[in-house]
Amino acid sequence: MKLKQVVEIGKCLSNQTRVEILEWLKNPEANFPPNESGISNKEGVCVGNIQEKTGLSQSTISTYLGSMERCGLLHMVRNGKWSYFSRNEETIQEFIRSIQ
Amino acid sequence: MKLKQVVEIGKCLSNQTRVEILEWLKNPEANFPPNESGISNKEGVCVGNIQEKTGLSQSTISTYLGSMERCGLLHMVRNGKWSYFSRNEETIQEFIRSIQ
DNA sequence: TTGTCATATCGAGAAATGTCGATATATTTG
DNA sequence: CAAATATATCGACATTTCTCGATATGACAA
């Protein structure tokens, strides 16, 4: 993994709420209520459910999730009006290999 | 590892130079000139040699290394007027376990 | 003790990030 | 089409971090 990407991931991990989101998404079914649509939490958790759990504003959480997706920590899939976020385990492993 | 420590490590990894230092210290004998004192680079690299390689000011590098030590990424040992820094592999592994 | 060297700490201004409310966009529903 | 809903983006101000030069500290040498 390139240095720039390591740094971008580091920026995401430099904030308590973002680290918690990453942690919660290890077990999305236990940490979030079921999605309104049929989609399982395993495939991704919608922005609203993450926002509610953190207590921060909608715009802040949307910004957080966007930056976590751009650096590769999270994967996003859109379905209608919802965006579903899940961990991107491949990139996380690459990041780990870069620093260990 | 506690959330706060993960975040402090994240802050250290959010800067290009600090990530490079961590990378260089994987192989200190290849990346730094021998220490003036008898101490091997394997046991730690002194601040001056790290500063010279980065090109940043002495005070900046001292601040960087201090924060990397406080969060547990680096280990420091003092010897006379020198401080020697090396990777703290135990904490690095703990950090990795926290995010994977 | 005085001077020199390596490192640490301080104070400051510049730059980046945090976080919000307001608003824009896009999708679905009536 | 109009309204409602979920998410994204914008603009702004507060806070944090970056990075430096200046200075303090502590160890060693003369």
Side-chain angles (χ1 to χ4, degrees), chain B residues 32-76:
Chain B
F32 296 98
N35 284 311
E36 280 185 45
S37 67
I39 288 190
S40 155
N41 271 336
K42 272 189 252 180
E43 299 174 56
V45 178
C46 69
V47 179
N49 284 348
I50 297 175
Q51 188 246 315
E52 192 172 353
K53 181 146 182 150
T54 63
L56 295 179
S57 75
Q58 185 270 325
S59 66
T60 296
I61 296 304
S62 179
T63 303
Y64 281 9
L65 295 173
S67 65
M68 292 173 83
E69 196 226 344
R70 275 191 300 280
C71 76
L73 278 176
L74 298 184
H75 179 247
M76 181 185 81

Side-chain angles (χ1 to χ4, degrees), chain A residues 14-79:
Chain A
S14 73
N15 174 282
Q16 180 156 340
T17 302
R18 288 189 297 257
V19 172
E20 286 178 316
I21 291 171
L22 203 64
E23 175 75 24
W24 295 333
L25 289 175
K26 287 180 188 173
N27 191 356
E29 314 225 271
N31 289 309
F32 297 97
N35 284 311
E36 279 186 45
S37 67
I39 288 189
S40 155
N41 271 335
K42 273 189 249 178
E43 298 174 57
V45 178
C46 69
V47 179
N49 284 347
I50 297 175
Q51 188 247 316
E52 192 172 354
K53 181 146 181 149
T54 63
L56 295 179
S57 75
Q58 186 270 325
S59 65
T60 297
I61 295 304
S62 179
T63 303
Y64 281 8
L65 294 173
S67 65
M68 292 173 82
E69 196 225 344
R70 275 190 301 280
C71 76
L73 279 176
L74 297 185
H75 179 248
M76 181 185 81
V77 61
R78 263 175 197 281
N79 186 285

Side-chain angles (χ1 to χ4, degrees), chain B:
Chain B
M1 176 178 286
K2 297 245 178 71
L3 179 59
K4 290 259 163 132
Q5 190 175 5
V6 173
V7 171
E8 289 310 305
I9 291 176
K11 288 180 187 175
C12 282
L13 298 178
S14 73
N15 174 283
Q16 181 156 339
T17 302
R18 287 190 298 257
V19 172
E20 285 179 316
I21 291 171
L22 203 64
E23 176 73 24
W24 294 335
L25 288 175
K26 286 180 188 173
N27 192 356
E29 314 225 270
N31 289 309
F32 296 98
N35 284 311
E36 280 185 45
S37 67
I39 288 190
S40 155
N41 271 336
K42 272 189 252 180
E43 299 174 56
V45 178
C46 69
V47 179
N49 284 348
I50 297 175
Q51 188 246 315
E52 192 172 353
K53 181 146 182 150
T54 63
L56 295 179
S57 75
Q58 185 270 325
S59 66
T60 296
I61 296 304
S62 179
T63 303
Y64 281 9
L65 295 173
S67 65
M68 292 173 83
E69 196 226 344
R70 275 191 300 280
C71 76
L73 278 176
L74 298 184
H75 179 247
M76 181 185 81
V77 60
R78 264 175 197 280
N79 186 284
K81 54 185 171 179
W82 286 283
S83 301
Y84 297 97
F85 287 88
S86 56
R87 283 168 57 102
N88 184 337
E89 302 292 355
E90 293 70 29
T91 310
I92 292 171
Q93 281 309 121
E94 256 194 276
F95 171 72
I96 286 172
R97 255 178 272 121
S98 294
I99 64 175
Q100 88 185 338

